[in-house]
Amino acid sequence: MSKILIIEDERSIAELERDYLESHGFTAEIEGRGDIGLQKALGGDYNLIILDLMLPKVDGFEICRQIRQVNNIPIIMISAKKEDIDKIRGLGLGADDYMIKPFSPSELVARVKAHLARYERLTGDKLIRGDLIQIRGVVIDKTSRRITIHDQEVMLTSKEYELLLLLASHPNRVFNKEELFERIWGLDSLGDIATITVHIRRLREKIEHDPSKPQYIETIWGVGYRFKI
Ligand code: CA
């Protein structure tokens, strides 16, 4: 079931959107504050974001920009002013669609369905849903912390698992070594950043068919690593 995040500070509009989406079989969650909405969008397992432009704390422009640095999840932007739509387009923020208030909720549902279908086509066999990530034969079950590669279970150390989970949770996003180190080992760790290289090598030996020609974890020279879709 597709899960949709509605970032909207006008409660009545947000509830109308949610009710319509839920009556069409979607799960929808409302967040009224921009800063919290951004955190949810970056960290949650949503399939689509409905994003109002004018929001408290952090506005829709900034939220859209930051989400796009991380992933390509469909974003439908909502605004009360037609001029804003031109501005959004002009900024090239990467929103997939725009709607102007007031709009018909059934039109919103139709567009949500269209964007979800398009996104599923684009991402092919990639699937991130709930506690399960499945990408080209790699399956990560977050509940049991179990990894299988083409149905063969692979045993990983705790750090190798966290590294794989972080990369695979954001397919195609490039992480630099500093960021990986910070997010997995923590800022207060006494470790060395070179440990990332060592862990990537061990991880590849366990999950790649040919570690010298990795199909999953790709090195982006001079930048870092990414999990390739
Ligand atoms: Ca608003």
Side-chain angles (χ1 to χ4, degrees):
M1 193 198 301
S2 294
K3 194 167 143 194
I4 293 158
L5 177 63
I6 300 167
I7 310 179
E8 168 65 74
D9 58 330
E10 281 176 69
R11 193 78 202 174
S12 58
I13 293 180
E15 285 174 353
L16 183 68
E17 291 172 0
R18 183 195 59 201
D19 293 349
Y20 257 79
L21 289 164
E22 287 187 345
S23 72
H24 286 81
F26 298 104
T27 302
E29 190 180 321
I30 296 172
E31 176 49 55
R33 261 176 61 174
D35 52 342
I36 300 173
L38 175 61
Q39 289 316 311
K40 285 188 176 174
L42 294 177
D45 296 316
Y46 301 101
N47 302 89
L48 184 143
I49 314 278
I50 296 173
L51 178 60
D52 184 37
L53 194 58
M54 299 312 290
L55 291 162
K57 308 281 182 190
V58 178
D59 69 18
F61 291 114
E62 181 60 18
I63 294 173
C64 187
R65 196 184 63 76
Q66 290 207 32
I67 294 172
R68 276 295 170 265
Q69 289 181 344
V70 177
N71 63 45
N72 290 317
I73 178 174
I75 300 174
I76 299 179
M77 291 194 84
I78 309 282
S79 173
K81 289 188 282 181
K82 191 178 179 305
E83 308 85 84
D84 287 335
I85 305 297
D86 299 331
K87 194 175 166 195
I88 298 165
R89 286 210 179 97
L91 287 169
L93 292 171
D96 297 273
D97 208 347
Y98 320 90
M99 296 185 80
I100 300 166
K101 294 177 191 172
F103 51 80
S104 97
S106 53
E107 174 65 18
L108 177 69
V109 170
R111 294 200 193 185
V112 164
K113 284 182 181 168
H115 286 289
L116 286 172
R118 188 187 57 88
Y119 188 64
E120 273 173 27
R121 278 199 305 277
L122 278 180
T123 52
D125 58 354
K126 178 179 87 73
L127 183 71
I128 300 179
R129 208 162 284 173
D131 287 335
L132 214 58
I133 298 176
Q134 299 180 56
I135 306 172
R136 291 189 294 115
V138 176
V139 179
I140 304 172
D141 184 335
K142 290 196 261 184
T143 313
S144 60
R145 293 172 73 94
R146 193 166 168 260
I147 311 278
T148 57
I149 314 288
H150 297 296
D151 298 325
Q152 297 287 310
E153 187 162 3
V154 175
M155 304 308 282
L156 300 181
T157 65
S158 156
K159 293 295 185 214
E160 287 163 358
Y161 171 83
E162 286 171 36
L163 195 55
L164 179 63
L165 178 63
L166 177 60
L167 291 167
S169 298
H170 307 277
N172 275 353
R173 178 187 162 189
V174 182
F175 287 88
N176 66 35
K177 288 180 191 174
E178 287 76 12
E179 190 177 4
L180 291 172
F181 187 74
E182 211 176 289
R183 290 181 62 162
I184 293 168
W185 276 264
L187 279 171
D188 52 354
S189 167
L190 295 172
D192 185 317
I193 203 156
T195 198
I196 294 290
T197 317
V198 175
H199 278 79
I200 292 280
R201 195 187 68 228
R202 288 190 192 141
L203 192 52
R204 280 178 174 153
E205 283 164 3
K206 291 181 181 180
I207 70 167
E208 300 281 359
H209 177 66
D210 178 356
S212 67
K213 295 191 189 74
Q215 298 301 304
Y216 298 117
I217 299 176
E218 189 180 31
T219 301
I220 308 295
W221 292 108
V223 188
Y225 304 97
R226 70 168 178 178
F227 196 105
K228 213 167 30 165
I229 289 183

